[in-house]
């Protein structure tokens, strides 16, 4: 009996709790005087830096890494609603990037930075450690292959054939099938929720960060023969 070729796509995803959070913070001061804007930005950036440095420990945390750029200064001449160009406005800015492994410390730090004049906190990127991501990737790829085997076996059994044998495994779109779903494998997803809570003892507002889990996904194309 001739062999039948079966081509399928296996997939698998798993969720893992976030282990790191990289937060972006910025200083932006402005005004009619260049030196004043520059001085305000320097003073505020020094205050932010003073909140970071005592927390830094590459291994133990709560901050494992951070960086900041130098003060950037520029000017613009805005226009009023009558079409008249106004006097120059000078801007000075500094950006920070800080990686936390302790999310409670992160929440406290965000609150403290928000209280500094000219400072703001931007987005937070949630991530896994390199070791966890490597092991997770191995696991989901293995499960994706098993999913492909299971699909091919069902197809073979549905037409009265026996055991399937793999003859090719590849990343999506690499088996050369025009209809084989040539898109790239799904990238890991990062999702996070931020919520406010209240300290029960003092009644003071207190920021709480609740990171959602991170999905690691894998897709594989596979070709089998069954007879």
């Amino acid at each position: 009996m001739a062999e039948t070729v079966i081509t399928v796509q296996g997939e698998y995803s798993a969720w893992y709790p976030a282990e790191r959070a990289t937060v972006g913070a910025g200083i932006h001061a402005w005004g009619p005087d260049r030196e004043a804007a520059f001085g305000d930005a320097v003073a505020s950036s020094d205050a932010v830096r003073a909140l970071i440095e005592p927390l830094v420990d590459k291994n133990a945390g709560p901050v494992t890494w951070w960086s900041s750029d130098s003060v950037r200064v520029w000017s613009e001449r805005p226009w009023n609603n009558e079409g008249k160009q106004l006097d120059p406005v000078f801007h000075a800015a500094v950006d920070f990037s800080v990686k936390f492994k302790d999310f409670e410390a992160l929440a406290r730090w965000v609150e403290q930075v928000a209280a500094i004049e000219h400072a703001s906190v931007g987005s937070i990127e949630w991530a896994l450690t390199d070791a966890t991501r490597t092991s997770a990737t191995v696991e989901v790829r293995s499960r994706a292959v098993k999913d492909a085997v299971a699909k091919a076996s069902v197809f073979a059994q549905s037409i009265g054939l026996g055991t399937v044998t793999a003859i090719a495994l590849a990343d999506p779109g690499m088996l050369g099938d025009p209809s084989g779903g040539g898109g790239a494998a799904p990238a890991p997803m990062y999702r996070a929720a931020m919520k406010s809570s209240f300290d029960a003892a003092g009644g003071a507002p207190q920021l709480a960060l609740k990171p959602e889990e991170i999905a690691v996904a894998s897709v594989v194309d596979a070709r089998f023969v069954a007879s």
Side-chain angles (χ1 to χ4, degrees):
M1 179 181 294
E3 293 181 330
T4 298
V5 176
I6 300 173
T7 303
V8 297
Q9 189 171 81
E11 56 187 329
Y12 188 82
S13 63
W15 294 85
Y16 298 83
E19 298 171 304
R20 296 290 185 272
T22 302
V23 58
I27 303 297
H28 183 196
W30 66 91
D33 183 82
R34 184 184 187 280
E35 293 304 318
F38 179 84
D40 289 344
V42 170
S44 295
S45 64
D46 286 345
V48 172
R49 191 174 291 108
L51 293 177
I52 298 173
E53 291 176 341
L55 304 178
V56 178
D57 187 312
K58 183 178 180 180
N59 297 315
V63 172
T64 60
W65 171 89
W66 74 283
S67 69
S68 70
D69 56 22
S70 57
V71 181
R72 307 184 307 279
V73 181
W74 71 96
S75 65
E76 62 173 343
R77 293 194 65 184
W79 300 78
N80 65 12
N81 55 8
E82 297 177 350
K84 179 181 178 181
Q85 194 169 26
L86 304 178
D87 292 336
V89 175
F90 295 91
H91 299 261
V94 182
D95 292 326
F96 290 85
S97 184
V98 189
K99 182 179 289 187
F100 284 82
K101 65 182 295 184
D102 182 331
F103 298 157
E104 291 184 0
L106 166 61
R108 292 192 297 270
W109 186 83
V110 168
E111 288 183 321
Q112 292 170 331
V113 170
I116 296 174
E117 190 174 8
H118 308 300
S120 62
V121 176
S123 62
I124 298 177
E125 178 182 340
W126 306 94
L128 303 173
T129 62
D130 290 341
T132 298
R133 177 162 296 283
T134 297
S135 62
T137 300
V138 170
E139 174 67 16
V140 297
R141 283 176 177 168
S142 175
R143 295 292 190 94
V145 171
K146 292 177 181 178
D147 180 57
V149 174
K151 286 181 179 178
S153 298
V154 170
F155 289 165
Q157 293 168 10
S158 67
I159 56 176
L161 300 179
T163 303
V164 297
T165 301
I167 58 173
L169 292 171
D171 287 334
M174 295 186 66
L175 290 184
D177 291 336
S179 60
M189 295 177 287
Y190 302 88
R191 297 177 181 173
M194 296 179 65
K195 67 177 183 178
S196 295
S197 64
F198 289 86
D199 178 68
Q206 183 180 34
L207 178 67
L209 301 179
K210 183 184 178 183
E212 293 186 1
E213 293 183 323
I214 296 170
V216 180
S218 180
V219 178
V220 62
D221 286 353
R223 183 167 291 142
F224 301 83
V225 293
S227 59

